[in-house]
Amino acid sequence: MAVARSILVVDDEPSIVDALADVLRWEGYPVLTASNGERALEELARGRASLVLLDYMMPVMDGLLALERIRADPAWRSIPVVVMTAAQLPTGASGWDALLRKPFEVDALFELVRSLAGPPPARAPDPS
Amino acid sequence: MGTSKGRSAPARLETGVPGLDEVLRGGLWKSGIYVVLGSPGTGKSILANQIAFHHVRAGGRAAYVTLLAETHARLLEQVGALSFFDPGAVGSSVRYLNAFAPIESGGLSALLDALRGAVRDHRATLLVLDGMVTAGMLARSKIDYKKFINELQTWVGLVGCTVIILTSAPAGNDNDSDPEHTMVDGLLELRTIALDMRAVRQLRVAKLRGSGFIPGAHHYLIGADGLRVFPRFEAEAGSPRSLPDAPGPASVGVARLDRMLGGGLRAGSMTLVLGSSGSGKTTLGLQFLAAGAAPGEPALHFGFYEQPDDIRRKGDRFGLDFSGMVERGALELSWHSPAEGILDVLAADLLERVRRRGIKRLFVDGLVGFKESSYLERLPGFFAALSHELAALGVTTVVTEETRWLLGTEVEVPTPGVSAIFQNIVFLGQMETGSQIVRLISVLKARDAEHDRSVCSFDIRKDGIQVGGPLRPPEDATARIAPAQERAARQRPRRKR
């Protein structure tokens, strides 16, 4: 049986990771979490993420550097990435599929997630 | 590059509690966490229920979660008697839940899960957490508690739910560092304080992130409709505004006194009538009302002693046809108990009547009703604001105040600091001359008018006050009243501290 691919939530603020994981699971999406860019790449290496919600400002490895690595790796290049930020991004920064300005509400998040990762597995239409 | 999304401009959540949204300059912020702090009996649960039912009427959904607070049956019994309560909403758009079991077995993280579940299952847009002091007690540490608030805050921000936390945590030295206070978006305190021998309820906003609010204490009452907050009158009413163009002077209803005042009272002005008990202050006030109401200026008698029926009969006895004017709606007679009053409640009632009926003449009989309703220190600022508000509404006002001495010509405004607020001061005295008591009248002050400074005799006849000629020695009281005229003209209110 195929394992449902998860949404990887990457943020250094535990309360944000916790809140995002909670609402996404509530919606029916499997969720993985990481506290910085380096941990996020480790999770991606396990091959279970179908979408990355990536905070910009984080210790160890920030979101933009992690995004650069994702885009540089042929195995990950096609995984959609949403960058979340409360700050202005540096001029010339690019590579994300969507930008989510903090603070945001759950409806804006769900809309993006649905458009980039499809409906949650439990609610996916039956192919038959 | 992909799409960009974020939250739309933050929106307000109206509390629906009369006066509170005014204090909060529009209400709470949606998705914020607010703490209502107060001792038992201050009305926290009533306030939260009132907000919850208002929220539901506006289309929202509310979850009311209790910890170790009163039972839901008791809570519903208490709020069920209040007008905002809608039994049809209970169980559907307002849901009551108890979360003590999760917190007792699993601590704050279990409480957080329970709250998330309550909001999610009920699709609540307002969450009330009643009895938060219990959560504080069961927290393993302050950090644990802080983490709980932080996680709750992040989560409600995401799901768009506003949270009201009720707590009776006592104010103490450590209060300022309490996570409930430092981390949340707003802090409201309810308290009962002693005013002389009375107990009065006051609300104070200690903090409201992202918004101005009216600082300081505001009285509130709890009645059949729930809480009603009375924003501290002088905090708002004193703000600058344009004054209407004044029409011609307003007659006081006594022709000779009009001449002494330099032609009558300036429209929109406030006049103090000083005099001992029985000196004719009320009679003068009734004539002032009739002089306006008879030709069609809506008039209001705002009294503290004589009941409306007594006032109506008294006016009729002087041939002023108060009964007819009341019947025609030209004159309103109102009475307020001089005991147990609250200054801001009186002001709200007075202005509500003035606005509702477009009152142009107001007679307040007397100042003591306001004095008994507050601290003396508040009165100069309060009356300055009231005077300003009434002037802006184009209301000409006469206020009486009783002097200490029944006989004599010693003039003293008993309420410190207020005389400068009144544009005009009229003194009614009684003086013993041989075997007779002579009534005398003098204009101590008439701002911006050339007024007659003589002291005249007057009498109260069946058609009201009749002013005679100036008194002459030896009964001439001018020598004693003249310095009072000077003092009255000079006196300024004391600075508020």
Side-chain angles (χ1 to χ4, degrees):
Chain A
M1 194 173 73
V3 176
R5 304 236 298 170
S6 303
I7 295 172
L8 175 58
V9 176
V10 190
D11 201 306
D12 58 327
E13 283 194 58
S15 67
I16 292 179
V17 172
D18 189 49
L20 288 172
D22 181 80
V23 296
L24 288 167
R25 285 186 184 123
W26 168 23
E27 191 67 2
Y29 291 100
V31 176
L32 298 168
T33 62
S35 58
N36 59 55
E38 199 172 275
R39 297 263 181 230
L41 298 183
E42 288 169 13
E43 280 295 342
L44 283 174
R46 294 189 185 102
R48 292 184 296 163
S50 58
L51 170 69
V52 183
L53 301 180
L54 188 60
D55 184 35
Y56 162 39
M57 287 192 291
M58 291 182 291
V60 185
M61 181 188 289
D62 72 24
L64 292 184
L65 185 53
L67 178 61
E68 204 179 302
R69 300 276 170 87
I70 292 169
R71 293 297 179 238
D73 190 317
W76 300 336
R77 192 172 291 158
S78 61
I79 297 175
V81 175
V82 177
V83 170
M84 305 180 292
T85 180
Q88 201 66 32
L89 292 173
T91 313
S94 62
W96 53 81
D97 293 273
L99 191 63
L100 200 50
R101 296 236 170 248
K102 292 179 179 177
F104 52 83
E105 283 180 358
V106 73
D107 290 344
L109 173 72
F110 286 163
E111 196 182 319
L112 273 181
V113 169
R114 273 194 295 271
S115 69
L116 294 170
R123 296 175 197 178
D126 187 345
S128 64
Chain B
M1 197 63 58
T3 52
S4 176
K5 285 190 176 292
R7 183 151 71 184
S8 47
R12 295 279 194 168
L13 181 140
E14 279 186 10
T15 66
V17 177
L20 181 55
D21 291 323
E22 198 180 325
V23 170
L24 298 171
R25 306 255 192 240
L28 308 173
W29 290 110
K30 279 184 183 166
S31 308
I33 297 189
Y34 297 89
V35 166
V36 178
L37 175 72
S39 306
T42 48
K44 299 184 298 295
S45 300
I46 293 177
L47 175 72
N49 274 283
Q50 195 172 344
I51 295 172
F53 280 92
H54 177 79
H55 183 65
V56 162
R57 277 197 300 279
R61 296 175 67 84
Y64 196 108
V65 178
T66 54
L67 295 175
L68 264 190
E70 58 195 332
T71 65
H72 293 160
R74 194 176 280 268
L75 182 66
L76 291 175
E77 190 178 56
Q78 185 193 12
V79 298
L82 303 172
S83 65
F84 61 76
F85 183 76
D86 175 9
V90 177
S92 54
S93 46
V94 182
R95 193 161 294 181
Y96 291 85
L97 307 154
N98 188 291
F100 183 66
I103 192 176
E104 193 182 28
S105 58
L108 291 175
S109 61
L111 175 62
L112 186 64
D113 286 343
L115 297 177
R116 285 172 173 174
V119 169
R120 164 188 317 156
D121 297 344
H122 186 48
R123 290 175 287 117
T125 43
L126 175 69
L127 169 69
V128 176
L129 188 50
D130 193 350
M132 193 60 187
V133 69
T134 310
M137 287 171 181
L138 291 174
R140 286 195 308 268
S141 65
K142 213 160 191 172
I143 293 290
D144 197 29
Y145 193 38
K146 209 162 181 162
K147 187 166 167 279
F148 165 77
I149 296 281
N150 177 244
E151 287 178 346
L152 181 63
Q153 198 161 36
T154 307
W155 188 79
V156 296
L158 194 60
V159 300
C161 180
T162 309
V163 180
I164 297 174
I165 294 173
L166 310 183
T167 181
S168 56
N173 292 339
D174 208 19
N175 224 21
D176 289 345
S177 61
D178 194 321
E180 282 177 2
H181 304 174
T182 54
M183 297 174 70
V184 297
D185 299 292
L187 176 63
L188 279 65
E189 287 180 62
L190 302 182
R191 57 185 179 161
T192 305
I193 62 151
L195 180 63
D196 298 328
M197 293 181 70
R198 290 188 284 149
V200 295
R201 298 178 188 277
Q202 288 185 344
L203 173 144
R204 188 173 74 92
V205 180
K207 169 183 177 181
L208 188 65
R209 272 189 191 147
S211 172
F213 57 89
I214 307 178
H218 310 280
H219 288 292
Y220 69 95
L221 298 177
I222 301 177
D225 298 328
L227 266 79
R228 180 175 175 190
V229 180
F230 295 86
R232 202 174 64 265
F233 181 71
E234 59 271 34
E236 282 298 275
S239 50
R241 71 193 67 195
S242 60
L243 301 179
D245 290 334
S251 167
V252 291
V254 179
R256 176 77 175 88
L257 181 56
D258 281 341
R259 288 199 294 279
M260 290 170 75
L261 284 160
L265 302 175
R266 189 170 57 80
S269 66
M270 195 179 252
T271 301
L272 181 66
V273 176
L274 272 176
S276 61
S277 176
S279 61
K281 300 184 298 298
T282 300
T283 306
L284 179 57
L286 301 189
Q287 288 181 259
F288 160 74
L289 288 176
E297 279 183 7
L300 170 65
H301 178 279
F302 196 84
F304 294 93
Y305 291 100
E306 292 172 272
Q307 299 281 342
D309 274 350
D310 294 331
I311 291 294
R312 186 178 48 76
R313 280 192 287 269
K314 187 181 267 189
D316 288 346
R317 273 202 305 278
F318 285 121
L320 300 173
D321 188 26
F322 266 32
S323 292
M325 287 190 284
V326 168
E327 204 166 293
R328 290 196 301 277
L331 175 63
E332 179 176 333
L333 306 175
S334 70
W335 175 84
H336 300 264
S337 168
E340 307 283 320
I342 294 174
L343 197 58
D344 304 291
V345 178
L346 286 173
D349 181 76
L350 172 62
L351 288 171
E352 193 276 325
R353 289 171 192 271
V354 164
R355 291 193 179 108
R356 176 167 42 84
R357 303 192 62 152
I359 296 295
K360 292 298 166 205
R361 283 194 179 222
L362 168 66
F363 175 44
V364 177
D365 194 15
L367 194 67
V368 69
F370 288 95
K371 279 164 73 172
E372 295 295 324
S373 305
S374 183
Y375 300 105
L376 278 181
E377 290 77 12
R378 258 193 85 182
L379 289 178
F382 172 84
F383 269 98
L386 183 63
S387 164
H388 190 73
E389 195 72 15
L390 290 169
L393 293 166
V395 182
T396 309
T397 306
V398 170
V399 181
T400 64
E401 176 153 44
E402 196 167 302
T403 52
R404 274 188 289 175
W405 312 111
L406 276 177
L407 297 175
T409 54
E410 287 298 322
V411 180
E412 179 193 27
V413 180
T415 308
V418 299
S419 65
I421 291 154
F422 292 94
Q423 285 87 354
N424 316 300
I425 300 179
V426 175
F427 175 64
L428 304 182
Q430 299 181 98
M431 195 173 66
E432 195 178 1
T433 58
S435 60
Q436 279 197 318
I437 290 179
V438 175
R439 294 179 190 274
L440 51 91
I441 187 167
S442 173
V443 176
L444 302 186
K445 171 181 169 185
R447 193 176 290 165
D448 302 329
E450 285 295 319
H451 70 276
D452 183 343
R453 300 173 67 86
S454 59
V455 179
C456 297
S457 64
F458 79 94
D459 207 357
I460 300 176
R461 298 182 185 161
K462 64 177 184 187
D463 56 350
I465 286 177
Q466 294 293 322
V467 179
L471 291 177
R472 277 180 278 183
E475 62 272 29
D476 188 350
T478 310
R480 275 171 285 180
I481 292 181
Q485 289 175 322
E486 299 302 323
R487 281 200 305 276
R490 282 198 309 268
Q491 196 174 352
R492 292 288 178 269
R494 288 188 308 194
R495 283 183 70 82
K496 281 180 74 179
R497 282 173 295 187

